[in-house]
Amino acid sequence: MSADKIIEKILEKANEDVALIEQETAEKVQSSVAAIERRTELTLNALKNKEKADVEEVHRRSQLMTRLDSRKNILAVKRKVIDEVFDKARTALDTLDESRYEALVTKIVVNGSETGTEKLQVPEKDMKRYRDGLLNKLNAALKEAGKIGELTLDETPASFNSGVMLIGEMSDVNGSFDVLIDDAREKYEREVAEMLFEVEV
């Protein structure tokens, strides 16, 4: 075999090897590209799903916050209405006519007096009505209830706006109308809310 034929055979074999290598390389590249594309698609899908879940979670939280804010605002309005109800009751007590005022104070004094000899402290604006006969009526009511009717009027005016304070030897009884309203609110606020709104507050 001549040298030319040998060289030709070598080149032919080299070309076949190169073609085979190129084919294998191309197949490997295609396989790698396909794998990368699959991984990329999976990653993108995972990111899309996470993004969708994140958006849904943000939406859910937003709706929850909106509902909470709405409930908070409704409760604030209800609280304001209830405050107004008790404020009106306080104003009504402060402006009772004489007979109803006397009846209420008599009840406070008769129920609150232990000995019938307490000192009464009242607001400056009410001093005159006690001096003009209310004190005597209260003492008479105490005697009717079987107690000593010897109440006296403290010359120092009370710090509250309406009502009466019984100052005793051992303890005092605060019969100010503010205290009466606060006690009533503590006992009946839920009932008032149910009457106003027909639902539990």
Side-chain angles (χ1 to χ4, degrees):
M1 186 176 279
S2 69
D4 289 340
K5 292 255 185 201
I6 293 170
I7 291 169
E8 189 180 321
K9 283 280 183 193
I10 291 171
L11 288 174
E12 190 179 309
K13 177 69 174 141
N15 285 337
E16 287 174 4
D17 288 347
V18 167
L20 184 62
I21 290 169
E22 284 177 347
Q23 183 181 349
E24 287 175 354
T25 302
E27 287 173 359
K28 284 181 182 176
V29 166
Q30 282 180 346
S31 176
S32 295
V33 166
I36 290 168
E37 285 175 347
R38 275 196 305 276
R39 280 200 303 272
T40 302
E41 186 178 352
L42 289 172
T43 303
L44 285 173
N45 285 338
L47 287 172
K48 282 178 187 175
N49 289 337
K50 186 178 184 315
E51 182 182 3
K52 184 180 176 186
D54 288 347
V55 167
E56 286 173 357
E57 178 64 11
V58 167
H59 184 63
R60 187 189 70 79
R61 288 185 182 182
S62 174
Q63 285 183 323
L64 179 63
M65 291 306 294
T66 300
R67 284 197 300 270
L68 287 174
D69 284 344
S70 176
R71 180 166 168 74
K72 189 169 73 173
N73 291 337
I74 288 169
L75 288 175
V77 169
K78 288 181 177 180
R79 172 66 51 207
K80 187 176 178 187
V81 170
I82 291 169
D83 288 344
E84 287 175 6
V85 167
F86 284 98
D87 285 344
K88 284 182 180 176
R90 196 180 311 271
T91 301
L93 279 183
D94 287 344
T95 56
L96 285 174
D97 62 42
E98 194 64 29
S99 64
R100 294 177 74 194
Y101 176 88
E102 284 187 10
L104 179 56
V105 168
T106 300
K107 188 173 182 180
I108 293 169
V109 169
V110 170
N111 290 339
S113 174
E114 290 181 358
T115 64
T117 60
E118 290 86 0
K119 199 176 266 195
L120 299 184
Q121 193 174 62
V122 300
E124 179 71 43
K125 68 181 179 62
D126 294 327
M127 288 277 200
K128 186 176 185 309
R129 67 186 0 161
Y130 283 84
R131 291 186 185 123
D132 288 350
L134 181 54
L135 184 60
N136 292 335
K137 289 179 183 178
L138 293 174
N139 280 322
L142 283 172
K143 286 176 183 174
E144 275 183 37
K147 299 180 182 179
I148 300 170
E150 296 179 3
L151 299 173
T152 55
L153 192 60
D154 190 344
E155 294 304 316
T156 304
S159 58
F160 46 81
N161 191 50
S162 295
V164 60
M165 170 87 78
L166 284 82
I167 302 171
E169 289 181 20
M170 302 298 288
S171 62
D172 300 338
V173 174
N174 189 341
S176 73
F177 292 173
D178 283 337
V179 167
L180 295 181
I181 291 293
D182 291 344
D183 287 348
R185 182 167 189 158
E186 193 173 321
K187 289 178 187 172
Y188 304 115
E189 182 171 359
R190 182 171 293 277
E191 252 178 73
V192 169
E194 287 172 357
M195 283 189 291
L196 288 171
F197 309 116
E198 297 180 355
V199 291
E200 187 176 337
V201 174

